[in-house]
Amino acid sequence: MERSEQFPRVPDGIEGVLARMRALGAHWPPADGVAVFHRVYLTVTEEVGRLVERGAFPDARAATVLDVCFAERYVTAVEAYESGRRPPACWRPLFHSRNHPGVRPLQFALCGVNAHIGHDLALAVVDACHALGCEPPELRDEFDRVGDLLTALEERVRDELMPGPDLLELADPLTHLAGSWSLERARDAAWATARALWALRGLPLIAEEVRERLDAGVGLVGRMLLTPFSPGAARLTGAAAAAAAPVPGAQSSGSATGAISS
């Protein structure tokens, strides 16, 4: 991994990364899948900036560095893709499917949240520890406060982007898919991964393998979250539902729900 990937830029502060985010999204059409995630994440980053200014974080410098390292991971991925370079695997499903007509706005938003929390957050904690010269436990308060904002973001995403009654046929499978992913579990996993990566900092080859496996695994979940839906994907009823139902006692080889929520 290149040094610029491990140690993102932090001197510009939150306003600096916000300026880059606003410039990135300025030319995207509203229905673009990346734009859907970008709008909600930009709102969260702006809120963190306001909280830092109001003194809501006990350690404003630590909160700023963590938030900038976190946002930088996303911005760098977008900039890489738009310049023809290869972004992390966790972001590729969103970038590649951003104009797919069968993918709903809620799916785009959750795919972005999945990539950012499931992959970027753990690496941002490690980046911030390097920048601040501290250990992960010293950032736990800032991690939890930012995580609380992200939880509020997820709730708003689901409230605003879930289909209405006019799309009831579509809503059933979409509700099932969206309900299979948990931000709380992703946050817990991110914290555990950050601690593991920090412990492995003296073993760079092993740490790099862990990062690569994390990236690939989060990317797989992202592809599942972007499963296309169409009016023809309505719930099965009657004989069709009975034919599709699992046979009692039959052994399953796994499910998308288990893969997403585990």
Side-chain angles (χ1 to χ4, degrees):
M1 180 176 289
E2 298 176 1
R3 187 174 180 82
S4 61
E5 278 283 311
Q6 276 190 298
F7 301 98
R9 298 182 291 269
V10 295
D12 293 337
I14 295 176
E15 281 306 314
V17 80
L18 279 172
R20 291 170 64 205
M21 290 175 69
R22 291 172 183 133
L24 274 179
H27 64 283
W28 295 335
D32 178 282
V34 181
V36 172
F37 168 75
H38 188 87
R39 285 193 296 272
V40 291
Y41 181 50
L42 178 62
T43 300
V44 169
T45 307
E46 290 171 337
E47 179 63 18
V48 172
R50 287 191 289 268
L51 290 174
V52 169
E53 290 179 358
R54 294 202 298 262
F57 290 93
D59 188 335
R61 179 169 179 259
T64 297
V65 171
L66 177 59
D67 190 59
V68 171
C69 287
F70 188 34
E72 179 74 23
R73 288 274 168 187
Y74 162 66
V75 172
T76 300
V78 177
E79 291 175 342
Y81 181 77
E82 296 213 327
S83 64
R85 291 178 287 119
R86 190 172 177 83
C90 62
W91 285 105
R92 287 175 218 156
L94 179 60
F95 296 157
H96 294 165
S97 300
R98 62 195 301 174
N99 296 311
H100 196 298
V103 179
R104 311 303 299 178
L106 174 65
Q107 293 173 265
F108 289 128
L110 289 182
C111 183
V113 174
N114 168 69
H116 205 36
I117 304 297
H119 175 266
D120 293 353
L121 184 55
L123 273 60
V125 171
V126 175
D127 293 335
C129 286
H130 281 298
L132 294 165
C134 69
E135 302 278 328
E138 298 173 64
L139 290 179
R140 186 62 199 249
D141 287 344
E142 288 72 27
F143 178 93
D144 287 341
R145 292 294 300 274
V146 171
D148 290 343
L149 287 173
L150 292 168
T151 299
L153 163 67
E154 184 200 26
E155 293 172 354
R156 190 169 67 203
V157 163
R158 292 178 187 272
D159 289 344
E160 294 180 2
L161 299 180
M162 278 298 293
D166 56 322
L167 293 177
L168 183 59
E169 287 188 329
L170 176 65
D172 274 353
L174 181 56
T175 300
H176 171 75
L177 182 68
S180 298
W181 188 85
S182 165
L183 186 143
E184 183 177 357
R185 291 186 184 183
R187 279 177 58 185
D188 291 344
W191 181 250
T193 302
R195 293 181 62 193
L197 287 172
W198 186 254
L200 291 170
R201 65 193 183 280
L203 300 169
L205 293 180
I206 297 177
E208 179 63 19
E209 181 177 354
V210 171
R211 286 192 291 266
E212 289 176 355
R213 297 293 179 90
L214 173 69
D215 191 19
V218 174
L220 174 62
V221 175
R223 289 196 297 274
M224 292 179 179
L225 287 170
L226 294 181
T227 300
F229 290 102
S230 67
R235 61 183 171 186
L236 299 175
T237 58
V247 177
Q251 187 171 359
S252 172
S253 60
S255 68
T257 300
I260 293 174
S261 61
S262 60

